Amino acid sequence: MGGCQSYPSATKADTKTLQLSDISSEKLGINNNFLEERPYLQQQYVCQRITHTDMSALTELPPGVDKAEWLATNTVAFFQQINLFSSAVCEFCTPSTCPTACGPGNTVYFWTDDHGRKLKCSAPLYFDYAMSYIQELLTDEDVFPTKAGSVFPTGFVFLVQKVFLLFFRTLAHIYWSHYRETLALGLHPHLNTLFTHLTLFCRQHALLDPEDTEPLQDLITALRLQG
């Protein structure tokens, strides 16, 4: 499989943001679900990215490249980027601040165990389950082969769809519950760039259903309007 996609560095104009001192300490690490407004939709934030590269060009299947190979390469890349971003805000996501894994509109995410049982758990536990599950898949040669001439398994696209649903939910939780921390750390241009790339890739390759993305459809539309 190929290497991961990285983004150009932010310009000085793109990185203007709040400092940690601009947000009172009692608000940091506290789940932001109580906010009536969705700050990530405010124009001064939604317009910021770390690159103005045409994201559509990054998502299209290059000529001559096998589609399964392209999906696999990008799955690895998104895993690395999302795992890295999540680690930047993980100290604010605890069982006490986030007793349930939720997204916009207080959408609750349940983890389904190996026996098909739906488990309601804290956000850090849910996303630990998610990242561990994805990492196991990525390191399984029978699922994500790395040797030349290897064949991807039957049902590979279904597994990729499941992985991208977990990616989407991870970013949805950050937008909904930890956006103020993201602003304070100056990471919102990175988050917007990553989320835009993810949603465009999913749309290009039919990886998510409309009901999956509906909780953040307002943000998807707003980011798309930025060009």
Side-chain angles (χ1 to χ4, degrees):
M1 291 184 292
C4 69
Q5 173 68 46
S6 60
Y7 305 116
S9 299
T11 64
K12 185 175 181 180
D14 290 330
T15 55
K16 182 179 179 183
T17 187
L18 296 173
Q19 300 299 314
L20 280 170
S21 58
D22 294 330
I23 297 181
S24 58
S25 59
E26 62 268 19
K27 290 184 179 179
L28 291 176
I30 296 177
N31 196 301
N32 295 321
N33 311 2
F34 66 90
L35 297 173
E36 292 186 6
E37 288 190 23
R38 301 187 178 196
Y40 50 78
L41 293 177
Q42 294 178 18
Q43 181 59 28
Q44 69 265 35
Y45 302 137
V46 79
C47 68
Q48 295 197 35
R49 299 183 192 174
I50 61 171
T51 178
H52 297 291
T53 300
D54 179 9
M55 287 291 177
S56 296
L58 297 178
T59 67
E60 295 174 358
L61 179 67
V65 175
D66 178 74
K67 182 171 182 177
E69 181 74 21
W70 184 241
L71 291 177
T73 299
N74 281 274
T75 302
V76 173
F78 277 115
F79 173 73
Q80 293 171 341
Q81 295 162 17
I82 292 172
N83 204 28
L84 181 62
F85 195 96
S86 298
S87 68
V89 296
C90 66
E91 66 180 291
F92 307 113
C93 188
T94 68
S96 58
T97 61
C98 302
T100 59
C102 58
N106 284 324
T107 303
V108 177
Y109 302 131
F110 293 87
W111 183 257
T112 303
D113 67 13
D114 294 337
H115 303 288
R117 295 173 299 190
K118 289 188 175 182
L119 307 176
K120 186 176 182 180
C121 50
S122 68
L125 183 58
Y126 180 94
F127 296 111
D128 181 61
Y129 284 154
M131 292 300 120
S132 297
Y133 168 78
I134 296 169
Q135 188 167 37
E136 284 186 20
L137 285 181
L138 297 182
T139 55
D140 187 340
E141 278 287 329
D142 292 331
V143 181
F144 281 80
T146 59
K147 298 177 182 178
S150 298
V151 178
F152 288 90
T154 302
F156 176 71
V157 173
F158 171 78
L159 289 174
V160 171
Q161 289 173 326
K162 185 173 181 179
V163 167
F164 274 83
L165 177 59
L166 294 174
F167 286 158
F168 183 89
R169 289 179 174 182
T170 301
L171 296 186
H173 177 72
I174 292 173
Y175 270 112
W176 182 243
S177 297
H178 302 294
Y179 194 68
R180 289 193 179 277
E181 290 89 351
T182 301
L183 287 176
L185 294 169
L187 294 176
H188 54 294
H190 296 261
L191 182 58
N192 286 345
T193 304
L194 180 55
F195 184 72
T196 299
H197 187 188
L198 178 79
T199 53
L200 283 174
F201 188 82
C202 289
R203 185 177 65 171
Q204 177 75 34
H205 301 286
L207 299 178
L208 294 177
D209 293 328
E211 56 264 32
D212 297 326
T213 59
E214 193 279 331
L216 274 179
Q217 189 56 52
D218 50 5
L219 177 61
I220 293 171
T221 301
L223 289 170
R224 192 175 300 158
L225 291 175
Q226 301 305 309

